[in-house]
Amino acid sequence: MIKGRLTDTPSFCVSNDVTDVLRLAKQSYENYLIRSSEKDLEKAVDYYVKAISIDPSISEAYYRLASLLWEKGRIDINSALMQCQKSISLDPNSSIARLYLGYFLKTAGRNDEAEKEFLSAIKMSGLFSSKPRIALGLTLIQNVNPYGNNFKQLFKGLYYFLSGSLLTFVDSYSMSLLSKSFLEDFRFLTFKTCGKILKNFKNYDAAVKLYETAAEKTGKSDLFYSEIAELSLQSGNPYNAVKYYQSAIENSPQNPILWTKLTGVLEMYYQNNVNEIRECYNKLAQLEPTNAKIYYELGHLYIKLEDNFSALNSFKKACELESSNAYYHNSLAYVLVQLEDYDGAIQEYQKAIKLSQDKDWTSIVSQALGAIYLQIKNNVEAAILAYQTAIILDPLNVDAYVSLGEAYQSKDDYTNAIECYCEAVKLEPSASTIYARLGLALWEQDFAEESIIAYQKAVDLNKNYEVAYNNLGVVYLDGTGDLDIALDNFNKALKINPNYALAYYNQGRTYQILKDKTKAAEAYQMAIDINKITDEIDGEEVEERLYSLFTI
């Protein structure tokens, strides 16, 4: 079994020296800005939380933490504003804290307040005010009314934006980040290009080693681990593919593409790892809550786990998100049948039939609907209509003809039943069971000779078909009176299935007519004994026949 490491990144905080912790936090924060790696983001969060726990008076930790937690969606806008205001209360002269507060005010739609904070940050920063200038410029430009006379505001916005862009060149911190970002991108492209060359030359081992080095040296470990996973698949090693996709996910746990790829490998090579696959789909559902297909696949996994209630909820969610998908309604109907909510299943099957554009598939759905009407609701007419619809949609649907024949037979309409079975054997002439059904319908119509032909065809196609041998014997016994042939068929049935109570009963009837009371009694007694276990015939009737052998 593949052991998945499907957990969030653990805490990285190890030092209790606030200076060290802040240094590591800043480093992780910068790495996140350069690499956009979720692992760096997690590290930065952990370090800033640690810094606050050591010294709650550190202003920087609050606005940085607000930014990171907002980025991850862990806090709302009001909490982010409170964090920034806390930072300013600790250090009223922090231009960066005011910059962050302005950003969150703008996000909250409080543009006038945001502009004031950006202006305060500009005044405090002097020549190093590139960021608040750009932020203020963009805010002013975005708030220009295209239908009003706002040229003054537009020019003001352009002034701050352009002056901020020029001052970027004297902002050593911004330039340092830009330089680091450039070097990181260059290193990344170098590894990727060299790896591609090795792949093209089919030197997979060297490519894997290169990508492992790249995963350690760059902030794109998720991408390079994913590359190794794909190489593992190409090399026929799904185990390593799973392992490296899991490593990639550890570094980027919110990446739905990686989760999807891992799920695909597990489903293809490790279908029995249902619980792990379910974990993947649950995670995908968290990441993409509006993706109906995820819930659809999750529903089928719950069916494998025999958790029909969870499957029901998953299929319902899929139908809510994509109500026009016939396949989702069909799966929902199936689960409702398992839960014995037949009225609900009928409604969902009807929706699936109405929505589907695939005639062959819809034919099968109509057949399933007919089965509920016939077997559960005892509504033969509705069942017949559903089966007829199935045949119209797919004239080659053998099972639909057989089911329609059974529906007619249940209402003693043997003429139509025989016609359906004949159509079915035309489409599938090698199906012994259909010939047996035809034989029974013909027998019910007193067509003994035709019934014999049908049953004989059934046993010719399947030499181990004990039911057909028994029924063929009954036709010879009760229809044509050929006792020896009847007895031969009952014996064949019993040779195939020695625990066939009905065949012993019919064998006993034959011996009784032949006036061989001893053998008749033996057959009846065997039928009685076996029937106590199988309960397939009327035991009292057999006992009456047994007793009648010895009454004068």
Side-chain angles (χ1 to χ4, degrees):
M1 177 179 287
I2 301 297
K3 297 296 183 182
R5 295 171 290 180
L6 310 181
T7 58
D8 288 335
T9 308
S11 175
F12 292 90
C13 300
V14 293
S15 175
N16 285 319
D17 186 329
V18 70
T19 303
D20 287 341
V21 172
L22 282 175
R23 177 180 56 79
L24 293 170
K26 187 174 182 180
Q27 180 181 333
S28 299
Y29 180 75
E30 290 178 358
N31 287 340
Y32 171 66
L33 293 178
I34 295 168
R35 303 170 175 177
S36 299
S37 168
E38 291 190 33
K39 190 172 182 179
D40 291 323
L41 187 149
E42 287 288 351
K43 284 183 180 180
V45 169
D46 284 343
Y47 286 133
Y48 279 123
V49 169
K50 183 71 173 179
I52 291 173
S53 69
I54 297 172
D55 184 356
S57 65
I58 300 173
S59 172
E60 174 189 348
Y62 289 96
Y63 64 75
R64 295 287 193 203
L65 192 57
S67 172
L68 293 167
L69 293 176
W70 169 261
E71 185 80 16
K72 283 189 68 67
R74 292 185 184 177
I75 60 173
D76 59 18
I77 190 65
N78 291 323
S79 298
L81 288 169
M82 288 176 62
Q83 290 280 75
C84 290
Q85 288 163 349
K86 172 72 174 178
S87 179
I88 291 173
S89 69
L90 292 170
D91 183 4
N93 296 318
S94 172
S95 61
I96 302 178
R98 293 189 179 277
L99 173 63
Y100 276 93
L101 178 58
Y103 166 77
F104 286 117
L105 286 168
K106 179 184 175 184
T107 303
R110 295 157 62 177
N111 292 322
D112 291 340
E113 296 175 69
E115 290 174 17
K116 290 179 182 178
E117 295 300 331
F118 290 144
L119 281 171
S120 296
I122 291 170
K123 292 176 182 177
M124 293 176 182
S125 303
L127 288 174
F128 303 102
S129 61
S130 61
K131 291 178 182 177
R133 283 177 176 274
I134 292 172
L136 177 58
L138 289 173
T139 303
L140 292 169
I141 292 169
Q142 289 168 358
N143 290 331
V144 170
N145 185 349
Y147 302 104
N149 187 12
N150 299 114
F151 292 110
K152 183 177 179 181
Q153 181 174 337
L154 177 61
F155 285 128
K156 187 178 179 182
L158 289 172
Y159 162 74
Y160 279 110
F161 178 78
L162 293 173
S163 61
S165 299
L166 290 172
L167 287 175
T168 300
F169 294 101
V170 299
D171 187 338
S172 58
Y173 180 72
S174 297
M175 292 302 295
S176 174
L177 285 181
L178 185 63
S179 175
K180 289 179 181 178
S181 178
F182 173 78
L183 291 174
E184 182 71 21
D185 289 343
F186 178 76
R187 183 186 297 174
F188 167 75
L189 288 172
T190 301
F191 279 120
K192 192 166 178 61
T193 302
C194 292
K196 188 175 182 180
I197 293 171
L198 291 171
K199 283 166 60 178
N200 289 338
F201 282 99
K202 308 295 183 183
N203 193 343
Y204 294 145
D205 291 339
V208 167
K209 289 180 181 179
L210 179 73
Y211 286 144
E212 286 178 337
T213 302
E216 293 176 6
K217 299 292 185 182
T218 72
K220 301 293 184 181
S221 55
D222 54 334
L223 187 145
F224 288 112
Y225 282 135
S226 178
E227 290 280 2
I228 297 173
E230 291 176 13
L231 282 174
S232 298
L233 285 177
Q234 292 177 24
S235 303
N237 192 339
Y239 180 88
N240 274 351
V242 170
K243 184 177 69 174
Y244 280 107
Y245 276 133
Q246 288 170 339
S247 296
I249 286 170
E250 284 184 359
N251 291 277
S252 184
Q254 306 302 315
N255 188 328
I257 296 175
L258 293 176
W259 283 100
T260 301
K261 289 181 176 180
L262 173 60
T263 306
V265 177
L266 289 172
E267 286 187 318
M268 181 172 292
Y269 296 99
Y270 302 99
Q271 300 93 331
N272 293 330
N273 292 12
V274 180
N275 285 318
E276 290 182 48
I277 298 171
R278 179 186 58 179
E279 286 182 40
C280 290
Y281 274 115
N282 279 325
K283 184 64 179 181
L284 282 169
Q286 294 174 16
L287 297 173
E288 298 183 328
T290 59
N291 189 333
K293 192 174 187 300
I294 292 172
Y295 292 99
Y296 174 68
E297 298 293 345
L298 188 56
H300 286 293
L301 283 172
Y302 280 122
I303 289 175
K304 288 183 180 179
L305 292 169
E306 298 182 356
D307 185 353
N308 288 324
F309 285 104
S310 295
L312 176 69
N313 292 330
S314 295
F315 289 133
K316 278 186 175 180
K317 184 67 175 179
C319 290
E320 289 172 7
L321 292 169
E322 197 173 326
S323 59
S324 61
N325 191 305
Y327 299 100
Y328 298 170
H329 288 287
N330 175 67
S331 294
L332 177 56
Y334 172 81
V335 174
L336 288 168
V337 169
Q338 307 309 306
L339 295 171
E340 299 184 1
D341 181 359
Y342 299 111
D343 291 331
I346 288 172
Q347 291 179 3
E348 295 303 322
Y349 276 134
Q350 288 173 338
K351 289 178 184 178
I353 291 168
K354 184 177 180 180
L355 292 168
S356 176
Q357 301 297 315
D358 185 337
K359 290 185 177 181
D360 292 348
W361 181 83
T362 311
S363 174
I364 297 171
V365 178
S366 297
Q367 190 179 331
L369 177 61
I372 296 177
Y373 280 128
L374 183 63
Q375 299 169 17
I376 306 299
K377 294 294 186 179
N378 295 318
N379 188 340
V380 180
E381 296 304 325
I384 288 173
L385 181 60
Y387 292 138
Q388 288 174 335
T389 301
I391 291 170
I392 291 171
L393 290 167
D394 181 10
L396 301 179
N397 188 337
V398 177
D399 292 335
Y401 281 107
V402 173
S403 297
L404 181 57
E406 291 176 343
Y408 280 126
Q409 200 164 346
S410 70
K411 59 180 289 188
D412 298 330
D413 184 351
Y414 296 107
T415 301
N416 278 320
I418 291 168
E419 184 179 340
C420 289
Y421 295 140
C422 287
E423 289 297 323
V425 295
K426 287 179 185 176
L427 294 170
E428 196 169 330
S430 61
S432 59
T433 55
I434 301 176
Y435 279 105
R437 293 179 187 279
L438 176 59
L440 180 59
L442 290 166
W443 171 241
E444 294 289 351
Q445 284 288 82
D446 296 325
F447 297 148
E449 296 296 335
E450 291 83 353
S451 178
I452 288 171
I453 294 171
Y455 276 124
Q456 189 60 56
K457 184 68 174 178
V459 296
D460 288 343
L461 289 168
N462 183 0
K463 301 297 184 182
N464 295 312
Y465 198 172
E466 70 269 28
V467 174
Y469 279 117
N470 176 75
N471 291 357
L472 180 56
V474 170
V475 178
Y476 277 117
L477 175 63
D478 297 327
T480 64
D482 294 324
L483 302 182
D484 291 338
I485 300 176
L487 192 59
D488 180 59
N489 280 287
F490 296 139
N491 290 336
K492 288 178 180 178
L494 289 168
K495 184 177 180 180
I496 297 167
N497 182 7
N499 296 313
Y500 196 175
L502 182 57
Y504 276 114
Y505 169 70
N506 288 322
Q507 187 188 61
R509 289 201 301 127
T510 308
Y511 282 127
Q512 187 173 4
I513 295 171
L514 290 169
K515 303 196 182 300
D516 189 337
K517 291 184 178 182
T518 302
K519 289 186 177 180
E522 290 175 356
Y524 285 142
Q525 189 59 57
M526 286 294 293
I528 292 169
D529 292 341
I530 293 171
N531 192 59
K532 289 177 182 178
I533 300 173
T534 61
D535 194 26
E536 61 182 280
I537 57 177
D538 185 350
E540 291 184 1
E541 180 182 343
V542 185
E543 289 177 359
E544 288 177 4
R545 282 186 170 273
L546 177 60
Y547 297 147
S548 69
L549 291 173
F550 305 102
T551 57
I552 301 174

PDB file of all heavy atoms in Angstrom, residues 144-161:
ATOM      1  N   VAL A 144     -11.154  57.006 -10.730  1.00  0.00           N
ATOM      2  CA  VAL A 144     -11.575  58.044 -11.678  1.00  0.00           C
ATOM      3  C   VAL A 144     -12.901  57.638 -12.317  1.00  0.00           C
ATOM      4  O   VAL A 144     -13.050  56.519 -12.800  1.00  0.00           O
ATOM      5  CB  VAL A 144     -10.496  58.256 -12.768  1.00  0.00           C
ATOM      6  CG1 VAL A 144     -11.049  59.144 -13.891  1.00  0.00           C
ATOM      7  CG2 VAL A 144      -9.260  58.877 -12.166  1.00  0.00           C
ATOM      8  N   ASN A 145     -13.839  58.546 -12.299  1.00  0.00           N
ATOM      9  CA  ASN A 145     -15.152  58.306 -12.922  1.00  0.00           C
ATOM     10  C   ASN A 145     -15.031  58.555 -14.422  1.00  0.00           C
ATOM     11  O   ASN A 145     -14.783  59.690 -14.837  1.00  0.00           O
ATOM     12  CB  ASN A 145     -16.207  59.233 -12.312  1.00  0.00           C
ATOM     13  CG  ASN A 145     -17.604  58.925 -12.833  1.00  0.00           C
ATOM     14  OD1 ASN A 145     -17.771  58.176 -13.792  1.00  0.00           O
ATOM     15  ND2 ASN A 145     -18.604  59.512 -12.199  1.00  0.00           N
ATOM     16  N   PRO A 146     -15.200  57.505 -15.263  1.00  0.00           N
ATOM     17  CA  PRO A 146     -15.022  57.701 -16.712  1.00  0.00           C
ATOM     18  C   PRO A 146     -16.060  58.626 -17.330  1.00  0.00           C
ATOM     19  O   PRO A 146     -15.869  59.108 -18.433  1.00  0.00           O
ATOM     20  CB  PRO A 146     -15.158  56.274 -17.263  1.00  0.00           C
ATOM     21  CG  PRO A 146     -15.950  55.538 -16.233  1.00  0.00           C
ATOM     22  CD  PRO A 146     -15.569  56.132 -14.914  1.00  0.00           C
ATOM     23  N   TYR A 147     -17.151  58.901 -16.618  1.00  0.00           N
ATOM     24  CA  TYR A 147     -18.209  59.754 -17.166  1.00  0.00           C
ATOM     25  C   TYR A 147     -18.199  61.151 -16.547  1.00  0.00           C
ATOM     26  O   TYR A 147     -19.054  61.973 -16.828  1.00  0.00           O
ATOM     27  CB  TYR A 147     -19.578  59.102 -16.923  1.00  0.00           C
ATOM     28  CG  TYR A 147     -19.685  57.734 -17.518  1.00  0.00           C
ATOM     29  CD1 TYR A 147     -19.613  56.599 -16.714  1.00  0.00           C
ATOM     30  CD2 TYR A 147     -19.830  57.570 -18.896  1.00  0.00           C
ATOM     31  CE1 TYR A 147     -19.704  55.335 -17.260  1.00  0.00           C
ATOM     32  CE2 TYR A 147     -19.921  56.304 -19.449  1.00  0.00           C
ATOM     33  CZ  TYR A 147     -19.855  55.194 -18.630  1.00  0.00           C
ATOM     34  OH  TYR A 147     -19.938  53.941 -19.172  1.00  0.00           O
ATOM     35  N   GLY A 148     -17.216  61.412 -15.673  1.00  0.00           N
ATOM     36  CA  GLY A 148     -17.148  62.714 -15.017  1.00  0.00           C
ATOM     37  C   GLY A 148     -15.907  63.485 -15.426  1.00  0.00           C
ATOM     38  O   GLY A 148     -15.025  62.985 -16.122  1.00  0.00           O
ATOM     39  N   ASN A 149     -15.822  64.738 -14.945  1.00  0.00           N
ATOM     40  CA  ASN A 149     -14.677  65.608 -15.252  1.00  0.00           C
ATOM     41  C   ASN A 149     -13.658  65.446 -14.125  1.00  0.00           C
ATOM     42  O   ASN A 149     -13.608  66.244 -13.195  1.00  0.00           O
ATOM     43  CB  ASN A 149     -15.160  67.059 -15.385  1.00  0.00           C
ATOM     44  CG  ASN A 149     -14.048  67.972 -15.871  1.00  0.00           C
ATOM     45  OD1 ASN A 149     -12.997  67.502 -16.307  1.00  0.00           O
ATOM     46  ND2 ASN A 149     -14.275  69.282 -15.771  1.00  0.00           N
ATOM     47  N   ASN A 150     -12.837  64.396 -14.214  1.00  0.00           N
ATOM     48  CA  ASN A 150     -11.903  64.055 -13.140  1.00  0.00           C
ATOM     49  C   ASN A 150     -10.454  64.095 -13.612  1.00  0.00           C
ATOM     50  O   ASN A 150      -9.630  63.283 -13.193  1.00  0.00           O
ATOM     51  CB  ASN A 150     -12.204  62.656 -12.579  1.00  0.00           C
ATOM     52  CG  ASN A 150     -13.595  62.549 -11.991  1.00  0.00           C
ATOM     53  OD1 ASN A 150     -14.425  61.829 -12.512  1.00  0.00           O
ATOM     54  ND2 ASN A 150     -13.851  63.265 -10.905  1.00  0.00           N
ATOM     55  N   PHE A 151     -10.136  65.038 -14.486  1.00  0.00           N
ATOM     56  CA  PHE A 151      -8.777  65.103 -15.032  1.00  0.00           C
ATOM     57  C   PHE A 151      -7.742  65.392 -13.946  1.00  0.00           C
ATOM     58  O   PHE A 151      -6.632  64.859 -13.969  1.00  0.00           O
ATOM     59  CB  PHE A 151      -8.691  66.180 -16.124  1.00  0.00           C
ATOM     60  CG  PHE A 151      -9.478  65.816 -17.358  1.00  0.00           C
ATOM     61  CD1 PHE A 151     -10.635  66.506 -17.679  1.00  0.00           C
ATOM     62  CD2 PHE A 151      -9.061  64.779 -18.193  1.00  0.00           C
ATOM     63  CE1 PHE A 151     -11.370  66.161 -18.805  1.00  0.00           C
ATOM     64  CE2 PHE A 151      -9.773  64.449 -19.322  1.00  0.00           C
ATOM     65  CZ  PHE A 151     -10.950  65.141 -19.630  1.00  0.00           C
ATOM     66  N   LYS A 152      -8.129  66.215 -12.974  1.00  0.00           N
ATOM     67  CA  LYS A 152      -7.199  66.566 -11.909  1.00  0.00           C
ATOM     68  C   LYS A 152      -6.807  65.316 -11.117  1.00  0.00           C
ATOM     69  O   LYS A 152      -5.619  65.091 -10.832  1.00  0.00           O
ATOM     70  CB  LYS A 152      -7.839  67.603 -10.992  1.00  0.00           C
ATOM     71  CG  LYS A 152      -6.911  68.080  -9.890  1.00  0.00           C
ATOM     72  CD  LYS A 152      -7.593  69.168  -9.057  1.00  0.00           C
ATOM     73  CE  LYS A 152      -6.657  69.635  -7.935  1.00  0.00           C
ATOM     74  NZ  LYS A 152      -7.300  70.683  -7.099  1.00  0.00           N
ATOM     75  N   GLN A 153      -7.803  64.499 -10.786  1.00  0.00           N
ATOM     76  CA  GLN A 153      -7.526  63.273 -10.030  1.00  0.00           C
ATOM     77  C   GLN A 153      -6.710  62.296 -10.872  1.00  0.00           C
ATOM     78  O   GLN A 153      -5.808  61.618 -10.372  1.00  0.00           O
ATOM     79  CB  GLN A 153      -8.825  62.606  -9.587  1.00  0.00           C
ATOM     80  CG  GLN A 153      -8.604  61.339  -8.762  1.00  0.00           C
ATOM     81  CD  GLN A 153      -9.895  60.763  -8.212  1.00  0.00           C
ATOM     82  OE1 GLN A 153     -10.872  61.480  -8.073  1.00  0.00           O
ATOM     83  NE2 GLN A 153      -9.883  59.478  -7.913  1.00  0.00           N
ATOM     84  N   LEU A 154      -7.010  62.217 -12.176  1.00  0.00           N
ATOM     85  CA  LEU A 154      -6.275  61.331 -13.066  1.00  0.00           C
ATOM     86  C   LEU A 154      -4.806  61.735 -13.135  1.00  0.00           C
ATOM     87  O   LEU A 154      -3.906  60.882 -13.005  1.00  0.00           O
ATOM     88  CB  LEU A 154      -6.896  61.357 -14.464  1.00  0.00           C
ATOM     89  CG  LEU A 154      -6.168  60.524 -15.531  1.00  0.00           C
ATOM     90  CD1 LEU A 154      -6.148  59.048 -15.138  1.00  0.00           C
ATOM     91  CD2 LEU A 154      -6.834  60.709 -16.897  1.00  0.00           C
ATOM     92  N   PHE A 155      -4.542  63.033 -13.332  1.00  0.00           N
ATOM     93  CA  PHE A 155      -3.147  63.504 -13.415  1.00  0.00           C
ATOM     94  C   PHE A 155      -2.419  63.290 -12.085  1.00  0.00           C
ATOM     95  O   PHE A 155      -1.246  62.950 -12.046  1.00  0.00           O
ATOM     96  CB  PHE A 155      -3.108  64.982 -13.816  1.00  0.00           C
ATOM     97  CG  PHE A 155      -3.410  65.202 -15.277  1.00  0.00           C
ATOM     98  CD1 PHE A 155      -4.377  66.108 -15.671  1.00  0.00           C
ATOM     99  CD2 PHE A 155      -2.717  64.496 -16.270  1.00  0.00           C
ATOM    100  CE1 PHE A 155      -4.664  66.302 -17.007  1.00  0.00           C
ATOM    101  CE2 PHE A 155      -3.001  64.696 -17.603  1.00  0.00           C
ATOM    102  CZ  PHE A 155      -3.982  65.597 -17.982  1.00  0.00           C
ATOM    103  N   LYS A 156      -3.171  63.506 -10.988  1.00  0.00           N
ATOM    104  CA  LYS A 156      -2.576  63.287  -9.669  1.00  0.00           C
ATOM    105  C   LYS A 156      -2.190  61.822  -9.492  1.00  0.00           C
ATOM    106  O   LYS A 156      -1.111  61.504  -8.993  1.00  0.00           O
ATOM    107  CB  LYS A 156      -3.589  63.709  -8.592  1.00  0.00           C
ATOM    108  CG  LYS A 156      -3.027  63.675  -7.182  1.00  0.00           C
ATOM    109  CD  LYS A 156      -4.083  64.167  -6.189  1.00  0.00           C
ATOM    110  CE  LYS A 156      -3.547  64.122  -4.758  1.00  0.00           C
ATOM    111  NZ  LYS A 156      -4.589  64.562  -3.781  1.00  0.00           N
ATOM    112  N   GLY A 157      -3.092  60.951  -9.945  1.00  0.00           N
ATOM    113  CA  GLY A 157      -2.811  59.517  -9.860  1.00  0.00           C
ATOM    114  C   GLY A 157      -1.615  59.130 -10.709  1.00  0.00           C
ATOM    115  O   GLY A 157      -0.751  58.348 -10.277  1.00  0.00           O
ATOM    116  N   LEU A 158      -1.558  59.665 -11.929  1.00  0.00           N
ATOM    117  CA  LEU A 158      -0.425  59.377 -12.807  1.00  0.00           C
ATOM    118  C   LEU A 158       0.883  59.901 -12.212  1.00  0.00           C
ATOM    119  O   LEU A 158       1.939  59.260 -12.322  1.00  0.00           O
ATOM    120  CB  LEU A 158      -0.656  60.000 -14.188  1.00  0.00           C
ATOM    121  CG  LEU A 158      -1.747  59.336 -15.038  1.00  0.00           C
ATOM    122  CD1 LEU A 158      -2.021  60.159 -16.295  1.00  0.00           C
ATOM    123  CD2 LEU A 158      -1.310  57.915 -15.425  1.00  0.00           C
ATOM    124  N   TYR A 159       0.812  61.079 -11.564  1.00  0.00           N
ATOM    125  CA  TYR A 159       2.014  61.654 -10.949  1.00  0.00           C
ATOM    126  C   TYR A 159       2.572  60.714  -9.888  1.00  0.00           C
ATOM    127  O   TYR A 159       3.779  60.410  -9.882  1.00  0.00           O
ATOM    128  CB  TYR A 159       1.682  63.015 -10.329  1.00  0.00           C
ATOM    129  CG  TYR A 159       2.717  63.469  -9.320  1.00  0.00           C
ATOM    130  CD1 TYR A 159       3.965  63.928  -9.724  1.00  0.00           C
ATOM    131  CD2 TYR A 159       2.427  63.401  -7.944  1.00  0.00           C
ATOM    132  CE1 TYR A 159       4.914  64.305  -8.789  1.00  0.00           C
ATOM    133  CE2 TYR A 159       3.363  63.786  -7.013  1.00  0.00           C
ATOM    134  CZ  TYR A 159       4.616  64.237  -7.433  1.00  0.00           C
ATOM    135  OH  TYR A 159       5.553  64.604  -6.510  1.00  0.00           O
ATOM    136  N   TYR A 160       1.717  60.278  -8.988  1.00  0.00           N
ATOM    137  CA  TYR A 160       2.195  59.402  -7.914  1.00  0.00           C
ATOM    138  C   TYR A 160       2.669  58.049  -8.460  1.00  0.00           C
ATOM    139  O   TYR A 160       3.674  57.488  -7.984  1.00  0.00           O
ATOM    140  CB  TYR A 160       1.093  59.176  -6.875  1.00  0.00           C
ATOM    141  CG  TYR A 160       0.979  60.321  -5.894  1.00  0.00           C
ATOM    142  CD1 TYR A 160      -0.112  61.174  -5.911  1.00  0.00           C
ATOM    143  CD2 TYR A 160       1.981  60.538  -4.952  1.00  0.00           C
ATOM    144  CE1 TYR A 160      -0.209  62.232  -5.013  1.00  0.00           C
ATOM    145  CE2 TYR A 160       1.887  61.588  -4.045  1.00  0.00           C
ATOM    146  CZ  TYR A 160       0.798  62.439  -4.079  1.00  0.00           C
ATOM    147  OH  TYR A 160       0.723  63.473  -3.190  1.00  0.00           O
ATOM    148  N   PHE A 161       1.962  57.526  -9.443  1.00  0.00           N
ATOM    149  CA  PHE A 161       2.352  56.229 -10.004  1.00  0.00           C
ATOM    150  C   PHE A 161       3.712  56.309 -10.687  1.00  0.00           C
ATOM    151  O   PHE A 161       4.606  55.477 -10.453  1.00  0.00           O
ATOM    152  CB  PHE A 161       1.304  55.732 -11.006  1.00  0.00           C
ATOM    153  CG  PHE A 161       1.655  54.425 -11.649  1.00  0.00           C
ATOM    154  CD1 PHE A 161       1.490  53.224 -10.975  1.00  0.00           C
ATOM    155  CD2 PHE A 161       2.192  54.383 -12.934  1.00  0.00           C
ATOM    156  CE1 PHE A 161       1.845  52.024 -11.554  1.00  0.00           C
ATOM    157  CE2 PHE A 161       2.544  53.186 -13.529  1.00  0.00           C
ATOM    158  CZ  PHE A 161       2.365  52.000 -12.840  1.00  0.00           C
TER     159      PHE A 161
END
